[in-house]
Amino acid sequence: AQSVTQLGSHVSVSEGALVLLRCNYSSSVPPYLFWYVQYPNQGLQLLLKYTSAATLVKGINGFEAEFKKSETSFHLTKPSAHMSDAAEYFCAVSFSGGYQKVTFGIGTKLQVIP
Amino acid sequence: GAGVSQSPRYKVAKRGQDVALRCDPISGHVSLFWYQQALGQGPEFLTYFQNEAQLDKSGLPSDRFFAERPEGSVSTLKIQRTQQEDSAVYLCASSLGDSSYEQYFGPGTRLTVT
């Protein structure tokens, strides 16, 4: 079964500091990987996705993630945190080949300290 | 254009009552997904429609949960004889195709069963 593990349910960074949110996946076949962001009382918004093209994926709001097969990781980074980045971030996985169920991690709540 | 909309946004039900949650997907989106998000957790898959066909209902937690999309657009998630453990946010998402495509999420319906 596919799964993702997000390390750290809460992460705090200072404004202007590097953001690093960790995600590891479990899969026996090549995965599709996603990062979503959720602001309070809102639905999820896609930040970026990996679908077997370039391993370094750039997304919206200055975020990027790198697919590392050897480490089964897809960590999310942003060079400089902004107050507006405070939200909950979800890593998710599915697989190629028609419809496949998307499985989400439990989320990481990012706090940005001024 | 309009995004995914859900109604009601908040629903309080007494234990044992039936509820119906509505999802209006983005026009032209073939795929529609329902997720359940418990407090402090990531979204968990409930069911998937491709047009009017319900292709996967493996995530529905019990036979009290029923979903339909009769004309391939609006979908309704019905929960019969609600229980306290049904309290959660119910998210609807739509996409152009299979799970490799971006899913666009609605704001969710927060169901509280008292």
Side-chain angles (χ1 to χ4, degrees):
Chain A
Q2 63 194 41
S3 66
V4 290
T5 302
Q6 291 186 242
L7 298 175
S9 59
H10 289 81
V11 170
S12 292
V13 299
S14 298
E15 192 176 14
L18 171 73
V19 176
L20 171 61
L21 304 182
R22 299 178 186 274
C23 173
N24 289 87
Y25 68 91
S26 170
S27 164
S28 57
V29 297
Y32 289 165
L33 293 158
F34 310 83
W35 275 99
Y36 283 85
V37 61
Q38 186 176 35
Y39 297 99
N41 298 316
Q42 294 186 29
L44 282 73
Q45 180 185 10
L46 183 70
L47 279 177
L48 50 79
K49 66 178 182 181
Y50 166 78
T51 56
S52 73
T55 56
L56 182 62
V57 181
K58 294 186 185 299
I60 62 171
N61 302 338
F63 285 93
E64 63 181 40
E66 186 172 7
F67 172 70
K68 292 187 176 180
K69 184 178 178 181
S70 61
E71 299 177 8
T72 61
S73 69
F74 190 59
H75 301 330
L76 182 70
T77 60
K78 181 174 181 178
S80 176
H82 192 272
M83 295 300 294
S84 61
D85 294 328
E88 191 150 23
Y89 293 79
F90 293 92
C91 183
V93 62
S94 72
F95 300 97
S96 62
Y99 163 70
Q100 295 288 344
K101 192 179 304 183
V102 177
T103 301
F104 286 83
I106 66 168
T108 298
K109 194 162 288 187
L110 176 66
Q111 180 187 24
V112 182
I113 304 166
Chain B
V4 178
S5 61
Q6 293 186 245
S7 61
R9 289 293 314 277
Y10 303 91
K11 176 69 178 178
V12 179
K14 291 190 190 306
R15 190 164 62 91
Q17 280 185 333
D18 297 349
V19 299
L21 312 180
R22 178 187 169 105
C23 172
D24 283 82
I26 293 172
S27 177
H29 276 194
V30 169
S31 298
L32 187 144
F33 305 82
W34 282 99
Y35 294 89
Q36 181 189 60
Q37 187 175 19
L39 191 63
Q41 301 295 317
E44 293 207 3
F45 170 84
L46 293 176
T47 188
Y48 161 67
F49 289 87
Q50 186 177 84
N51 296 306
E52 69 278 5
Q54 189 175 19
L55 299 186
D56 188 343
K57 55 181 181 180
S58 62
L60 297 176
S62 77
D63 58 8
R64 296 186 295 105
F65 286 71
F66 172 76
E68 60 183 5
R69 193 186 185 198
E71 297 178 359
S73 56
V74 170
S75 177
T76 304
L77 176 67
K78 298 179 179 177
I79 309 173
Q80 297 177 323
R81 304 181 303 282
T82 52
Q83 304 294 315
Q84 282 196 315
E85 61 263 29
D86 301 335
S87 295
V89 175
Y90 291 85
L91 296 168
C92 175
S94 70
S95 77
L96 285 168
D98 65 27
S99 57
S100 64
Y101 291 85
E102 176 177 356
Q103 293 186 25
Y104 293 82
F105 282 80
T109 295
R110 183 177 298 276
L111 173 64
T112 304
V113 181
T114 61

